[in-house]
Amino acid sequence: MTALRSDIPARLDRLPWSRWHWRVVIALGVAWVLDGLEVTLVGSIGAVLERPDTLGLTAGEIGLSGSVYVAGAVVGALLFGRMTDRLGRKKLFLITLAVYTVGTLATAFSPNFAFFALCRFLTGLGIGGEYAAINSAIDELIPARVRGRVNLAINGSFWIGAALGAALSLVLLDARVIGPVWGWRAGFALGAVLAVAILLVRRHVPESPRWLIAHGRADEAKRIVERIEAEVEAQHGPLPAPRGFVVNYTAARPNSPPMRQVARVLFKRYPQRSMVALALMISQAFFYNAIFFTYALVLTRFYGVPEGSVALYIFPFALGNVLGPLLLGPLFDSVGRRRMIALTYVLAGVGLALTGWAFMQGWLDARSQALCWSAVFFLASAAASSAYLTVSEVFPLEMRAIAIAIFYAVGMGAGGFAAPLLFGLLIETGSRGAVMVGYCIGAGLVIVAGLLALRHAVDAERKPLEEVAPPLASETGGER
């Protein structure tokens, strides 16, 4: 095709924050709210599902159901991530939300463990696809100067969903409302209702102009940007002239790059970036899934917390996780990615090790254990969110979604699948020392990942995506 010089990235990056940006963030960021809702519902009702008048699951089966959910997310990320690069961001963030809705609604009708696990897999399938499609769209629509803080805040919204899931379980499991036998089913059904409402809102989010221009649809991209600019101008007045990065597209194509080219970019052009991304994703996945999928089991088995009161302990935990990205997020744009990633990862690992030691020594009760976890995950939430930020901004546009999917899949497959199953088995031993071994593994992984990031991560703060990683279809996108 004829060479095309595009200022669309600069036009998007120079926009002041507006109501339009808020709508995009709310419509797309709900993916993490839904994930938090799902994970917390299972975590909060874990003890309830062990009852013979519900599903009669064992602790090992509850841990396995968490692993099955993660396996679905891994498959969904790879399947829908590839489709996101090929078909566009918008089509896929509508499709993946529909898949999630069907999966979580079906979960409410589970008659036994096999059906429950199958529904958890389907729900995870939708959520995994959401991560690839949503992270791509958000990074390509949000101005570079605030990309870090916005991305971290959106990823941290997982814990808004967690608090919502805890509140739902607390109310629905109350015998005065519905009770444990039917309350857990109602919780999943309400999650599906929320998803349908968000599906209606998402229809108004446009396709990524960056994706369109890279796929030879320059006129369509221009029209979308002009509509966005008109809306922002109506709120803020005349816009400044775009400055900065202009991309020369010389090989825009209708299809996504072949996997052979994706592998070459990951392992030959950007091997250090790939190493850092892999370490960040595996360590945070193990760290989080190890603690959270078995949160209820620790409280009920070791501290004697009544199953109906487990959700109360989610709130301080969720609060720390929400505040971490919100308060620390701006530092990722000012202090910088590399330093803040290393700081949050290493301190989170040290915090978990110290909390695990206090747990093993019997120095904590249920309340102090929850408060310690809240402090640790104030740091860990910002750290984990920065992992998703890293994999979404350091690879070229045409393969952004599949790159997110690959690192998410490997990270969750290695860390997320193994952790719930391992911790479920460790908790079944009834030994605090055995559980402490799991905590030490998680702490060691994130500390090593943080040190790798300090040495090899990219200083991507406040830079256009096209400067961080030139598109494959640009003149500046040669091997380097």
Side-chain angles (χ1 to χ4, degrees), residues 155-195:
N155 276 278
S157 69
F158 174 100
W159 298 100
I160 297 175
L164 179 60
L168 279 176
S169 64
L170 192 64
V171 173
L172 297 176
L173 296 180
D174 192 324
R176 294 168 296 181
V177 182
I178 297 179
V181 176
W182 295 101
W184 68 272
R185 298 182 186 274
F188 287 110
L190 288 174
V193 172
L194 174 62

Side-chain angles (χ1 to χ4, degrees), residues 183-207:
W184 68 272
R185 298 182 186 274
F188 287 110
L190 288 174
V193 172
L194 174 62
V196 170
I198 297 302
L199 192 61
L200 299 177
V201 176
R202 276 195 187 172
R203 295 180 304 164
H204 303 292
V205 176
E207 180 56 86

